[in-house]
Amino acid sequence: MINNIIYTQNIAESIELLLSQKEYDKLFIVTDENTHRFAMPLLSDSKACVDAKEIIILANDTNKTLENLSTIWKSLVEEGATRKSLLINLGGGMVTDMGGFAAATFKRGIEHINIPTTLLGAVDAAVGGKTGINFEGLKNEIGAFKQPSAVLIDTRFFKTLSKEHLLSGFAEMLKHGLISNMENYNKLITFNISNPDYNELLNLVADSVSIKEDIVEQDPLEKGVRKYLNLGHTTGHAIESLAMKRNTPVQHGYAVAWGLACEAILSYMKFGFSQPEIHRLVDYVKANYGAFPISCDDYAYLYEKITHDKKNESGRINYTLLKAIGEVEINVSVTKEEIESSFDLYRDLFGL
Ligand code: GLY
């Protein structure tokens, strides 16, 4: 296993145990304004963390910038961090991405631990070792692969999340189901995420994390099979940008949910992916995430964003699509006409 994933109901106790297994000279905890207030108190009970230096950064993905990264580097320098120091990232994807990148680059790399405080973070960002910052308006443009020494998932955090945050994380879980197997997917697509049973959700989270871990373990640097994890994201990122341009930003996972629907349609067009499964997915997405409004006037903008996706190579648009649930095709080239037809079908299916 690349990652050491620990599920706990008592983060202070678990961190204590973890830190007793290895000696670090100094401890740093990166939080944002929200996790400083709501999550840090849970950690403060731990004796091991009493002397830790907390580095508080601004919240939200818009602050995943070079300036804020520099704040972390500066604190590490000022407090005399060494290669034997440990950085603990306590927060959502923004904190684990940027804190992880600080750990990857400081003195050419120090150890770090992720403690995700959102569902999206637990099932995606905190696991797998992608770290980075946004740059020149481009998401995650600068970054590094750097595996965390451990990921501690305190399940209490999820109970306090808003419905929107839960749904956002759940979309990545749906993706893991679609790329892995029908058994897992069936459990997800029949789960009532709008009124969740938390014990059942935890089982689903553990399954989802292990699907991701398994893929990352086979292909940590995304040369092949890790591209499975990009399902829904080529279209999803374009939808996220369009929402941002309209000044009505949407949560990442919502864009992924709509992206999964569009890419299931493309999968049908390219590989005959099952129509009943498209309807099952669309019904679930429509019921829980609503419909993202698209008209033909948006096609040009969406296409332009899709052609600039980081995942493309040598001018080719590279999609990850499905032949069936659990049967994935990577590096699929798709034409402009096919993409536009998929948007037409998306609008029909979502009643737009
Ligand atoms: N978020 C997709 C990956 O970690 O590869």
Side-chain angles (χ1 to χ4, degrees), residues 199-241:
N199 288 332
E200 180 53 16
L201 180 63
L202 283 183
N203 292 333
L204 294 173
V205 168
D207 288 346
S208 213
V209 171
S210 77
I211 291 168
K212 173 155 187 187
E213 262 196 304
D214 189 39
I215 290 176
V216 172
E217 199 162 4
Q218 292 174 54
D219 178 22
L221 303 182
E222 199 172 292
K223 304 281 184 222
V225 77
R226 188 167 183 162
K227 293 185 186 177
Y228 286 17
L229 297 169
N230 294 333
L231 183 72
H233 282 66
T234 303
T235 316
H237 283 150
I239 289 175
E240 230 175 329
S241 300

